[in-house]
Structures are given as structure tokens and as C-alpha cells.
Amino acid sequence: MKLVFAEMARQRVTYDEVAAGSGVLRSTLKAWRHKNRPSLDALEAVLGFLGWDFVPVPREKRLPAEVLQALRPAVDATGLTMPVAVQALVEIVADIHVDLKAHTADAPTVRLH
């Protein structure tokens, strides 16, 4: 929840603005600060209003061996680490635009999507 409140402060948006834009009640938002935990739907709605995507990223050890094997050539060619490549793959699948150059100083720019 720290991310939500930090982003609200950074963007200088009020509880009322977030409530109107996300559909999550103002009282619910305020309760998150102290006692309640959001539902996944509510959290996604608020983060979406704030311009964020909520995308769980699996850890390397949770991926099937064939997925890791298929990613290995891209990892080797770009100089990325496997965790960064997995994150980039998830972002591509989730339709989030990715610039892989931000993840490695020496690799050529690879813009996906």
C-alpha cells in the first residue's frame, strides 16, 4: 500500500479523485492506510487510475524448463539476466511496452512490441 499512497502524493491526487477515477470508495482507500487490506480488484483499479499496471512476475525457478530454454538465446544475445528477461517477457505478454536498454548498459536497444 505504500506504493499507492506514495504515488498519490507524487501525483498530488486526492482520495476523492482516486475514488472517482477508480470506483473504489474514499472510505475504503482511507482504511487501507491503517487497518484494511485491499482486494485484488480494488488494488488493480486504484493502480490503474494512477497509471500503473499490476502484473505478478514469476521467479525463474517457477518457470518450466522449456520456457527457460527458449529464453536463453535472447538472454545471451542481449546481455540481460534471466530475471530481467522473464520480467520483459511478462511485460510483453501483458502488453506493457518495454525498452530493454534500460536494463543493461552495453546491450543494443531492443524495443519490443
Side-chain angles (χ1 to χ4, degrees):
M1 294 318 315
K2 289 181 182 182
L3 171 64
V4 168
F5 297 117
E7 194 61 16
M8 285 174 64
R10 188 185 72 79
Q11 292 184 27
R12 295 188 173 129
V13 295
T14 65
Y15 285 107
D16 290 331
E17 291 169 323
V18 174
S22 69
V24 176
L25 296 174
R26 182 181 195 275
S27 59
T28 300
L29 293 167
K30 291 195 86 161
W32 290 356
R33 193 175 284 280
H34 301 290
K35 57 185 172 185
N36 293 356
R37 292 189 178 165
S39 69
L40 182 56
D41 289 339
L43 180 58
E44 286 178 320
V46 169
L47 287 173
F49 171 75
L50 294 171
W52 288 72
D53 288 302
F54 180 79
V55 182
V57 178
R59 300 221 170 130
E60 182 178 347
K61 66 183 178 182
R62 295 289 178 216
L63 292 174
E66 59 270 16
V67 172
L68 293 173
Q69 185 178 8
L71 279 174
R72 179 56 54 200
V75 168
D76 294 342
T78 60
L80 299 172
T81 65
M82 186 59 78
V84 170
V86 169
Q87 179 181 343
L89 178 62
V90 169
E91 291 172 351
I92 293 165
V93 170
D95 199 28
I96 300 169
H97 298 274
V98 178
D99 182 355
L100 296 178
K101 187 167 184 169
H103 297 291
T104 179
D106 299 324
T109 300
V110 178
R111 187 165 294 278
L112 302 172
H113 192 55

